[in-house]
Amino acid sequence: MGTLLLLIALTFEIAFAIYCMVTKQNHKKIKNWMRIAVFCAFIILTLSSVIVWSLRWVLPAILLLILAVTGTVSLIRNKTNTKQYKTSKLVWKSIIMLLAFVFALVPAIVFPQHPSPKVTGEYEVSTATYTYVDKNRKEEFTDNGDNRFVNVEFWYPKNADEKYPLLVFSHGAYGIKASNTSTYTELASHGYIVVSIDHPYHSFYTRSEDGTNVLINTDYNREVDNLNKEGIYTRAEEYGLIQKWMKLRTDDMNFVIDTILQKAKSDKTSVYQHINTEKIGVFGHSMGGASSVWLGRERDDIDAVVNIDAPFFSDLVYKKEIGDYAARDEAFKTPLLNIYSDDVWGQLDSNSTYVANKLNNKNFKDAYTVHFQGAKHLSLTDLPLFSPILANYIQGGSADIDPYYCVETENSLILKFFDDKLKGIGHFTPKKTY
C-alpha cells in the first residue's frame, strides 16, 4: 500500500508539473482543490479499513493534512494569483514535494501493512507484559550495580477456564520477544500459555514496565558480527564467546521459568493461575533455539523442545588437541523438533558450530528434523511479513519460499509437535521437506 501510494503521489506531482510547464501557468487553484481531495480520499480509505491505521501512516497523514489546510486557506482567501510563472521555481517546488512524499511514506514502505497469518484455534487470545528483576544476579552490561531484569510478554487464552501447558520462547541474536508473534498467537488459540523473553542487551531493543528502553549492546553486536566472519576469532575464542552468550541466555530462561512456577503457586493473576506447571515446552529461533536445546539437557521439567534454525551449542565441545569442535557424546532424551532453513541445512555436514547437528549424530536419533526448502534464516520469523525490505537486507537476499506458506506451515508443525508431546493429542509425523 505504501509503495502504491508513493507511485500515485509521484505520478501526480510529475504529471501536474509537466501540465504547468506546457501551459506556462501555475494552476494554483486546481492544485489546492486536488490536495484537499487527496486528503479526503486518505480519510475515506482509512475509515473503510483499506488503509489500516497505525504509526506507519502518521507522517503521510500529517503531510496531507498540512497540504489540505494550506490549500483550503488559499481558496478561502481567494487571492488572484499575480505571481509570474517561472519554470525553475516550479521544478524546485515539485522536487521538494516529491522528496516530502518519499520521506513521509518511508515507514509505510519499509513496514508495509500486511494480513496476519491464519489463526486456527478456538480461543480468543489476550496478552500481558511484565518485567522480572533477578535479585540474585547483577547486570553485567552496566557498572551501576543494578540487578539483571528480563522483560516478558504472555499470549494466552482469553476467558480461560482450565489449565494449559506453558511454552517459553527465546529470540535470536538481534531479535525481540515479538519476533514470532504469529506462532505464539496460533499456539495460544489452541490452549497454550506462551511467554516470550526479551534478553536485555542481546535483543535489538526492549522496553520495561517503567518505560525504560534498552538497546542492543555494541560489544555483543560486534562479537556476533565477527563470529560470522572468517579469520577474526580462533576456534578457542569462538567457543569462549558461545559459552558466555549461552550462560546469559540460559540464566535468563531459567530465571523466567522459575519465576513463573513460583507465581503459579501464589500470584492470583489470571495468566499464572491457568498454567499447568507439569507441562512445559521451550522453543526459540537461532541463538534462542540453541538456548532451548541447552535447557532441554539442563532441566528435568522440560517436556519438549523446538529448535528453529540453531546449532546445538549445548553439545558443542572444543578439543584443544585438534584445535577444532567436536560433538558431545551423550544422548539427548527430551523430545526435540528441529526446523531448518536452507541457510542452516547447507552447514549440517560441516565441522562448524553445527557439528553436533549432523543428521547422523546418534545422540539425537529420536529427534524430528524438517527442512524448509527455499527458506532463509529469517523466513522462520515474522520479519519477512512485517518488513520484507529489512529481512532481505539483514539476511543478504530474498527467500525462494512464499513467506505465508513458510510461517503458517511452521506454526502448524510446532502446534502439532507440542500437542503430541504435551497434551497427548494426535501422532506427530512430519514430512522431511516442506
Short mmCIF file of all heavy atoms in Angstrom, two decimals, residues 46-94:
data_model
loop_
_atom_site.label_atom_id
_atom_site.label_comp_id
_atom_site.label_asym_id
_atom_site.label_seq_id
_atom_site.Cartn_x
_atom_site.Cartn_y
_atom_site.Cartn_z
N THR A 46 -8.95 5.24 5.10
CA THR A 46 -8.65 4.85 6.47
C THR A 46 -9.91 4.40 7.19
O THR A 46 -9.92 3.37 7.87
CB THR A 46 -8.01 6.03 7.24
OG1 THR A 46 -6.81 6.45 6.55
CG2 THR A 46 -7.64 5.62 8.65
N LEU A 47 -11.00 5.16 7.04
CA LEU A 47 -12.25 4.81 7.71
C LEU A 47 -12.83 3.50 7.17
O LEU A 47 -13.51 2.77 7.90
CB LEU A 47 -13.28 5.94 7.54
CG LEU A 47 -12.93 7.25 8.26
CD1 LEU A 47 -13.96 8.33 7.93
CD2 LEU A 47 -12.86 7.03 9.78
N SER A 48 -12.56 3.21 5.91
CA SER A 48 -13.08 1.97 5.31
C SER A 48 -12.12 0.79 5.49
O SER A 48 -12.35 -0.29 4.96
CB SER A 48 -13.34 2.18 3.81
OG SER A 48 -12.13 2.51 3.14
N SER A 49 -11.01 1.03 6.23
CA SER A 49 -10.01 0.00 6.57
C SER A 49 -9.22 -0.51 5.38
O SER A 49 -8.54 -1.54 5.48
CB SER A 49 -10.68 -1.19 7.28
OG SER A 49 -11.24 -0.76 8.51
N VAL A 50 -9.29 0.19 4.24
CA VAL A 50 -8.36 -0.13 3.15
C VAL A 50 -6.96 0.21 3.60
O VAL A 50 -6.00 -0.54 3.39
CB VAL A 50 -8.73 0.64 1.87
CG1 VAL A 50 -7.69 0.42 0.78
CG2 VAL A 50 -10.11 0.23 1.38
N ILE A 51 -6.84 1.36 4.25
CA ILE A 51 -5.62 1.71 4.97
C ILE A 51 -5.87 1.40 6.44
O ILE A 51 -6.77 1.96 7.06
CB ILE A 51 -5.27 3.21 4.80
CG1 ILE A 51 -4.85 3.49 3.36
CG2 ILE A 51 -4.17 3.62 5.77
CD1 ILE A 51 -4.59 4.95 3.06
N VAL A 52 -5.11 0.47 6.99
CA VAL A 52 -5.26 0.10 8.40
C VAL A 52 -4.39 1.04 9.23
O VAL A 52 -3.17 1.01 9.13
CB VAL A 52 -4.84 -1.37 8.63
CG1 VAL A 52 -5.00 -1.74 10.10
CG2 VAL A 52 -5.66 -2.29 7.75
N TRP A 53 -5.05 1.88 10.04
CA TRP A 53 -4.31 2.93 10.75
C TRP A 53 -3.29 2.35 11.72
O TRP A 53 -3.56 1.43 12.48
CB TRP A 53 -5.27 3.84 11.51
CG TRP A 53 -4.54 4.93 12.24
CD1 TRP A 53 -4.27 5.02 13.56
CD2 TRP A 53 -3.91 6.06 11.62
NE1 TRP A 53 -3.55 6.16 13.83
CE2 TRP A 53 -3.30 6.81 12.66
CE3 TRP A 53 -3.81 6.53 10.31
CZ2 TRP A 53 -2.61 8.00 12.42
CZ3 TRP A 53 -3.11 7.70 10.08
CH2 TRP A 53 -2.53 8.42 11.12
N SER A 54 -2.08 2.90 11.67
CA SER A 54 -1.01 2.54 12.59
C SER A 54 0.04 3.65 12.50
O SER A 54 -0.12 4.61 11.74
CB SER A 54 -0.39 1.19 12.21
OG SER A 54 0.24 1.27 10.94
N LEU A 55 1.11 3.49 13.24
CA LEU A 55 2.16 4.52 13.25
C LEU A 55 2.76 4.75 11.87
O LEU A 55 3.26 5.85 11.59
CB LEU A 55 3.27 4.13 14.24
CG LEU A 55 2.92 4.24 15.73
CD1 LEU A 55 4.06 3.70 16.58
CD2 LEU A 55 2.62 5.68 16.11
N ARG A 56 2.72 3.73 11.01
CA ARG A 56 3.32 3.89 9.68
C ARG A 56 2.64 4.97 8.85
O ARG A 56 3.22 5.48 7.89
CB ARG A 56 3.30 2.55 8.93
CG ARG A 56 1.92 2.02 8.62
CD ARG A 56 1.97 0.80 7.71
NE ARG A 56 2.61 -0.33 8.32
CZ ARG A 56 1.99 -1.24 9.06
NH1 ARG A 56 0.69 -1.11 9.33
NH2 ARG A 56 2.63 -2.27 9.56
N TRP A 57 1.38 5.31 9.22
CA TRP A 57 0.63 6.29 8.43
C TRP A 57 0.61 7.69 9.06
O TRP A 57 -0.03 8.58 8.53
CB TRP A 57 -0.81 5.80 8.24
CG TRP A 57 -0.90 4.52 7.48
CD1 TRP A 57 -1.32 3.31 7.93
CD2 TRP A 57 -0.54 4.32 6.10
NE1 TRP A 57 -1.25 2.36 6.94
CE2 TRP A 57 -0.78 2.95 5.80
CE3 TRP A 57 -0.05 5.15 5.10
CZ2 TRP A 57 -0.53 2.41 4.55
CZ3 TRP A 57 0.20 4.62 3.84
CH2 TRP A 57 -0.04 3.26 3.58
N VAL A 58 1.32 7.88 10.15
CA VAL A 58 1.30 9.19 10.83
C VAL A 58 1.91 10.28 9.95
O VAL A 58 1.32 11.36 9.77
CB VAL A 58 2.02 9.11 12.18
CG1 VAL A 58 2.21 10.51 12.78
CG2 VAL A 58 1.23 8.23 13.16
N LEU A 59 3.09 10.03 9.41
CA LEU A 59 3.76 11.06 8.60
C LEU A 59 2.98 11.40 7.33
O LEU A 59 2.80 12.59 7.02
CB LEU A 59 5.19 10.62 8.25
CG LEU A 59 6.18 10.61 9.42
CD1 LEU A 59 7.54 10.13 8.94
CD2 LEU A 59 6.31 11.99 10.04
N PRO A 60 2.49 10.40 6.55
CA PRO A 60 1.67 10.76 5.40
C PRO A 60 0.43 11.56 5.79
O PRO A 60 0.05 12.50 5.08
CB PRO A 60 1.28 9.40 4.80
CG PRO A 60 2.33 8.46 5.26
CD PRO A 60 2.73 8.95 6.61
N ALA A 61 -0.21 11.19 6.91
CA ALA A 61 -1.41 11.90 7.35
C ALA A 61 -1.10 13.36 7.67
O ALA A 61 -1.85 14.27 7.30
CB ALA A 61 -2.03 11.21 8.56
N ILE A 62 0.03 13.57 8.37
CA ILE A 62 0.43 14.95 8.72
C ILE A 62 0.71 15.77 7.47
O ILE A 62 0.27 16.92 7.34
CB ILE A 62 1.65 14.93 9.65
CG1 ILE A 62 1.27 14.35 11.02
CG2 ILE A 62 2.23 16.33 9.81
CD1 ILE A 62 2.46 14.14 11.95
N LEU A 63 1.45 15.17 6.52
CA LEU A 63 1.78 15.88 5.28
C LEU A 63 0.53 16.24 4.50
O LEU A 63 0.36 17.39 4.05
CB LEU A 63 2.72 15.02 4.43
CG LEU A 63 3.09 15.59 3.06
CD1 LEU A 63 3.80 16.94 3.20
CD2 LEU A 63 3.95 14.61 2.27
N LEU A 64 -0.37 15.27 4.33
CA LEU A 64 -1.60 15.53 3.57
C LEU A 64 -2.50 16.55 4.28
O LEU A 64 -3.16 17.37 3.63
CB LEU A 64 -2.36 14.22 3.34
CG LEU A 64 -1.68 13.20 2.43
CD1 LEU A 64 -2.50 11.92 2.35
CD2 LEU A 64 -1.46 13.79 1.03
N LEU A 65 -2.51 16.50 5.62
CA LEU A 65 -3.30 17.48 6.38
C LEU A 65 -2.76 18.89 6.17
O LEU A 65 -3.53 19.83 5.95
CB LEU A 65 -3.28 17.11 7.87
CG LEU A 65 -3.97 18.10 8.81
CD1 LEU A 65 -5.46 18.23 8.46
CD2 LEU A 65 -3.78 17.70 10.26
N ILE A 66 -1.45 19.04 6.24
CA ILE A 66 -0.84 20.36 6.04
C ILE A 66 -1.15 20.90 4.65
O ILE A 66 -1.53 22.06 4.47
CB ILE A 66 0.69 20.28 6.26
CG1 ILE A 66 1.00 20.01 7.73
CG2 ILE A 66 1.37 21.56 5.79
CD1 ILE A 66 2.46 19.72 8.01
N LEU A 67 -1.02 20.04 3.64
CA LEU A 67 -1.31 20.47 2.26
C LEU A 67 -2.78 20.82 2.10
O LEU A 67 -3.13 21.81 1.42
CB LEU A 67 -0.93 19.35 1.28
CG LEU A 67 0.57 19.02 1.17
CD1 LEU A 67 0.80 17.84 0.25
CD2 LEU A 67 1.35 20.24 0.69
N ALA A 68 -3.66 20.03 2.72
CA ALA A 68 -5.10 20.31 2.61
C ALA A 68 -5.47 21.62 3.31
O ALA A 68 -6.27 22.41 2.80
CB ALA A 68 -5.90 19.15 3.20
N VAL A 69 -4.89 21.87 4.48
CA VAL A 69 -5.18 23.09 5.23
C VAL A 69 -4.68 24.32 4.49
O VAL A 69 -5.40 25.32 4.34
CB VAL A 69 -4.56 23.02 6.65
CG1 VAL A 69 -4.62 24.39 7.33
CG2 VAL A 69 -5.28 21.98 7.49
N THR A 70 -3.43 24.25 3.99
CA THR A 70 -2.90 25.40 3.24
C THR A 70 -3.69 25.64 1.96
O THR A 70 -3.93 26.78 1.56
CB THR A 70 -1.41 25.19 2.90
OG1 THR A 70 -1.26 23.93 2.21
CG2 THR A 70 -0.57 25.16 4.15
N GLY A 71 -4.12 24.55 1.33
CA GLY A 71 -4.95 24.70 0.13
C GLY A 71 -6.29 25.32 0.44
O GLY A 71 -6.79 26.19 -0.30
N THR A 72 -6.90 24.91 1.55
CA THR A 72 -8.20 25.46 1.96
C THR A 72 -8.09 26.94 2.28
O THR A 72 -8.92 27.75 1.86
CB THR A 72 -8.74 24.70 3.19
OG1 THR A 72 -8.86 23.31 2.86
CG2 THR A 72 -10.08 25.25 3.63
N VAL A 73 -7.04 27.30 3.03
CA VAL A 73 -6.83 28.71 3.39
C VAL A 73 -6.63 29.55 2.13
O VAL A 73 -7.19 30.65 2.00
CB VAL A 73 -5.61 28.85 4.33
CG1 VAL A 73 -5.22 30.32 4.51
CG2 VAL A 73 -5.89 28.20 5.66
N SER A 74 -5.87 29.02 1.20
CA SER A 74 -5.63 29.74 -0.05
C SER A 74 -6.92 29.95 -0.83
O SER A 74 -7.16 31.03 -1.38
CB SER A 74 -4.62 28.96 -0.91
OG SER A 74 -4.40 29.61 -2.14
N LEU A 75 -7.79 28.93 -0.86
CA LEU A 75 -9.06 29.06 -1.59
C LEU A 75 -10.00 30.04 -0.89
O LEU A 75 -10.71 30.82 -1.55
CB LEU A 75 -9.73 27.69 -1.70
CG LEU A 75 -9.06 26.70 -2.66
CD1 LEU A 75 -9.69 25.32 -2.52
CD2 LEU A 75 -9.18 27.19 -4.11
N ILE A 76 -10.01 30.02 0.45
CA ILE A 76 -10.88 30.93 1.20
C ILE A 76 -10.46 32.39 0.98
O ILE A 76 -11.30 33.27 0.79
CB ILE A 76 -10.87 30.58 2.70
CG1 ILE A 76 -11.56 29.23 2.93
CG2 ILE A 76 -11.54 31.67 3.54
CD1 ILE A 76 -11.45 28.71 4.35
N ARG A 77 -9.17 32.59 1.02
CA ARG A 77 -8.67 33.96 0.81
C ARG A 77 -8.92 34.41 -0.62
O ARG A 77 -9.06 35.62 -0.88
CB ARG A 77 -7.18 34.03 1.13
CG ARG A 77 -6.90 33.81 2.63
CD ARG A 77 -5.42 33.71 2.92
NE ARG A 77 -4.75 35.00 2.65
CZ ARG A 77 -3.44 35.17 2.78
NH1 ARG A 77 -2.67 34.15 3.13
NH2 ARG A 77 -2.91 36.35 2.55
N ASN A 78 -8.97 33.45 -1.54
CA ASN A 78 -9.35 33.69 -2.94
C ASN A 78 -8.57 34.85 -3.57
O ASN A 78 -9.13 35.72 -4.25
CB ASN A 78 -10.86 33.96 -3.04
CG ASN A 78 -11.34 33.80 -4.47
OD1 ASN A 78 -10.73 33.09 -5.27
ND2 ASN A 78 -12.44 34.48 -4.79
N LYS A 79 -7.29 34.88 -3.29
CA LYS A 79 -6.46 35.93 -3.88
C LYS A 79 -6.16 35.62 -5.34
O LYS A 79 -5.92 34.48 -5.70
CB LYS A 79 -5.14 36.06 -3.13
CG LYS A 79 -5.25 36.88 -1.85
CD LYS A 79 -3.86 37.17 -1.33
CE LYS A 79 -3.91 38.13 -0.15
NZ LYS A 79 -2.54 38.47 0.32
N THR A 80 -6.17 36.61 -6.16
CA THR A 80 -5.80 36.42 -7.56
C THR A 80 -4.31 36.13 -7.63
O THR A 80 -3.50 36.81 -7.00
CB THR A 80 -6.11 37.69 -8.38
OG1 THR A 80 -7.47 38.00 -8.21
CG2 THR A 80 -5.79 37.46 -9.85
N ASN A 81 -3.98 35.12 -8.36
CA ASN A 81 -2.58 34.72 -8.46
C ASN A 81 -1.85 35.69 -9.38
O ASN A 81 -2.00 35.65 -10.59
CB ASN A 81 -2.48 33.29 -9.00
CG ASN A 81 -1.03 32.80 -9.01
OD1 ASN A 81 -0.17 33.40 -8.39
ND2 ASN A 81 -0.80 31.70 -9.71
N THR A 82 -1.07 36.55 -8.75
CA THR A 82 -0.33 37.55 -9.53
C THR A 82 1.13 37.14 -9.73
O THR A 82 1.87 37.86 -10.39
CB THR A 82 -0.37 38.90 -8.81
OG1 THR A 82 0.15 38.74 -7.49
CG2 THR A 82 -1.80 39.42 -8.72
N LYS A 83 1.51 36.00 -9.15
CA LYS A 83 2.89 35.57 -9.28
C LYS A 83 3.17 35.10 -10.69
O LYS A 83 2.41 34.32 -11.26
CB LYS A 83 3.20 34.45 -8.28
CG LYS A 83 3.20 34.93 -6.83
CD LYS A 83 3.59 33.80 -5.90
CE LYS A 83 3.60 34.28 -4.45
NZ LYS A 83 3.98 33.19 -3.51
N GLN A 84 4.26 35.60 -11.23
CA GLN A 84 4.62 35.24 -12.59
C GLN A 84 5.12 33.80 -12.65
O GLN A 84 5.83 33.35 -11.76
CB GLN A 84 5.72 36.19 -13.09
CG GLN A 84 6.09 35.98 -14.55
CD GLN A 84 7.16 36.95 -15.01
OE1 GLN A 84 7.67 37.74 -14.21
NE2 GLN A 84 7.48 36.92 -16.28
N TYR A 85 4.70 33.08 -13.68
CA TYR A 85 5.13 31.69 -13.84
C TYR A 85 6.61 31.63 -14.16
O TYR A 85 7.11 32.36 -15.02
CB TYR A 85 4.34 31.03 -14.99
CG TYR A 85 4.95 29.71 -15.43
CD1 TYR A 85 4.70 28.54 -14.73
CD2 TYR A 85 5.79 29.66 -16.55
CE1 TYR A 85 5.27 27.35 -15.12
CE2 TYR A 85 6.36 28.46 -16.95
CZ TYR A 85 6.09 27.30 -16.22
OH TYR A 85 6.66 26.13 -16.60
N LYS A 86 7.32 30.74 -13.41
CA LYS A 86 8.74 30.51 -13.66
C LYS A 86 8.99 29.00 -13.63
O LYS A 86 8.67 28.34 -12.64
CB LYS A 86 9.61 31.18 -12.61
CG LYS A 86 9.66 32.70 -12.71
CD LYS A 86 10.64 33.27 -11.70
CE LYS A 86 10.73 34.79 -11.81
NZ LYS A 86 11.68 35.37 -10.83
N THR A 87 9.54 28.50 -14.72
CA THR A 87 9.78 27.05 -14.80
C THR A 87 10.73 26.57 -13.72
O THR A 87 10.50 25.54 -13.08
CB THR A 87 10.35 26.70 -16.19
OG1 THR A 87 9.42 27.08 -17.20
CG2 THR A 87 10.62 25.20 -16.29
N SER A 88 11.81 27.32 -13.45
CA SER A 88 12.79 26.90 -12.46
C SER A 88 12.16 26.79 -11.07
O SER A 88 12.43 25.84 -10.33
CB SER A 88 13.97 27.88 -12.42
OG SER A 88 13.51 29.19 -12.11
N LYS A 89 11.31 27.77 -10.74
CA LYS A 89 10.65 27.74 -9.43
C LYS A 89 9.69 26.57 -9.32
O LYS A 89 9.61 25.90 -8.29
CB LYS A 89 9.91 29.07 -9.22
CG LYS A 89 9.38 29.24 -7.80
CD LYS A 89 8.81 30.63 -7.61
CE LYS A 89 8.35 30.82 -6.17
NZ LYS A 89 7.80 32.18 -5.94
N LEU A 90 8.96 26.30 -10.41
CA LEU A 90 8.03 25.17 -10.43
C LEU A 90 8.78 23.85 -10.26
O LEU A 90 8.34 22.97 -9.50
CB LEU A 90 7.27 25.16 -11.76
CG LEU A 90 6.36 23.95 -12.00
CD1 LEU A 90 5.18 23.98 -11.04
CD2 LEU A 90 5.89 23.92 -13.44
N VAL A 91 9.92 23.70 -10.94
CA VAL A 91 10.70 22.48 -10.84
C VAL A 91 11.20 22.26 -9.42
O VAL A 91 11.09 21.15 -8.86
CB VAL A 91 11.89 22.51 -11.83
CG1 VAL A 91 12.84 21.35 -11.56
CG2 VAL A 91 11.38 22.45 -13.27
N TRP A 92 11.72 23.32 -8.79
CA TRP A 92 12.21 23.19 -7.42
C TRP A 92 11.10 22.83 -6.44
O TRP A 92 11.28 21.99 -5.55
CB TRP A 92 12.91 24.48 -6.97
CG TRP A 92 14.33 24.56 -7.43
CD1 TRP A 92 14.87 25.41 -8.33
CD2 TRP A 92 15.40 23.69 -7.01
NE1 TRP A 92 16.20 25.17 -8.53
CE2 TRP A 92 16.56 24.10 -7.72
CE3 TRP A 92 15.49 22.62 -6.13
CZ2 TRP A 92 17.79 23.49 -7.55
CZ3 TRP A 92 16.72 22.01 -5.96
CH2 TRP A 92 17.85 22.43 -6.67
N LYS A 93 9.93 23.45 -6.60
CA LYS A 93 8.80 23.14 -5.72
C LYS A 93 8.36 21.68 -5.89
O LYS A 93 8.03 20.99 -4.94
CB LYS A 93 7.63 24.07 -6.02
CG LYS A 93 7.76 25.45 -5.40
CD LYS A 93 6.47 26.25 -5.62
CE LYS A 93 6.53 27.58 -4.87
NZ LYS A 93 5.29 28.35 -5.04
N SER A 94 8.38 21.23 -7.14
CA SER A 94 7.99 19.84 -7.41
C SER A 94 8.98 18.86 -6.81
O SER A 94 8.58 17.83 -6.25
CB SER A 94 7.88 19.61 -8.93
OG SER A 94 6.89 20.44 -9.50
#
